[in-house]
Amino acid sequence: MARFLQSGKIKNEGLKMLVKYIIKVFLYLILAVMTLIRWLLKIPMMLGNILLYFLSIIFILTGVLSYGFALESARECGRMIIIGMGFGAIPNFIPFLGKSLETLVDKLLSMTNE
């Protein structure tokens, strides 16, 4: 009787190990895909930052110069300046997205090392 119980334990442990390795393989695949996505998004994010700062400068200068040369009302120039400040603020929030993706990849990596 003890022999049957022991062989059942061995089979159960073997099954647990098999499931654990299958989960690890899937986690490594997810990790590889997320790392690839992070690499592919890094360059467009940098170029996007430059573009958004450029648009910000254009809107702010347009607003200031339009008010200075009396081409638009003060309200319209204020709107242009606020829009320019909004475009300038967007690149400051993009690193949070990259950081959250990096944190998620680190958590998946820690799960595979257990």
Side-chain angles (χ1 to χ4, degrees), residues 59-79:
F59 271 99
I60 291 172
L61 283 177
T62 303
V64 170
L65 292 175
S66 293
Y67 184 72
F69 289 114
L71 297 174
E72 296 285 339
S73 66
R75 184 176 185 167
E76 193 64 33
C77 295
R79 284 184 189 165

Side-chain angles (χ1 to χ4, degrees), residues 31-105:
L31 181 68
V33 168
M34 291 183 75
T35 304
L36 184 65
I37 289 171
R38 190 177 79 192
W39 288 345
L40 291 175
L41 289 179
K42 198 165 207 149
I43 292 172
M45 282 175 30
M46 289 187 312
L47 293 175
N49 289 348
I50 295 168
L51 178 67
L52 287 171
Y53 281 132
F54 184 69
L55 281 173
S56 169
I57 291 170
I58 288 175
F59 271 99
I60 291 172
L61 283 177
T62 303
V64 170
L65 292 175
S66 293
Y67 184 72
F69 289 114
L71 297 174
E72 296 285 339
S73 66
R75 184 176 185 167
E76 193 64 33
C77 295
R79 284 184 189 165
M80 280 192 256
I81 292 171
I82 290 172
I83 290 171
M85 291 169 70
F87 278 127
I90 290 172
N92 296 328
F93 294 109
I94 291 177
F96 292 120
L97 298 175
K99 238 352 181 182
S100 62
L101 184 62
E102 194 172 308
T103 304
L104 189 59
V105 168

Side-chain angles (χ1 to χ4, degrees), residues 10-22:
I10 293 171
K11 286 181 184 178
N12 195 15
E13 288 177 14
L15 184 61
K16 284 182 183 178
M17 292 295 288
L18 179 65
V19 169
K20 189 176 182 179
Y21 285 124
I22 290 172

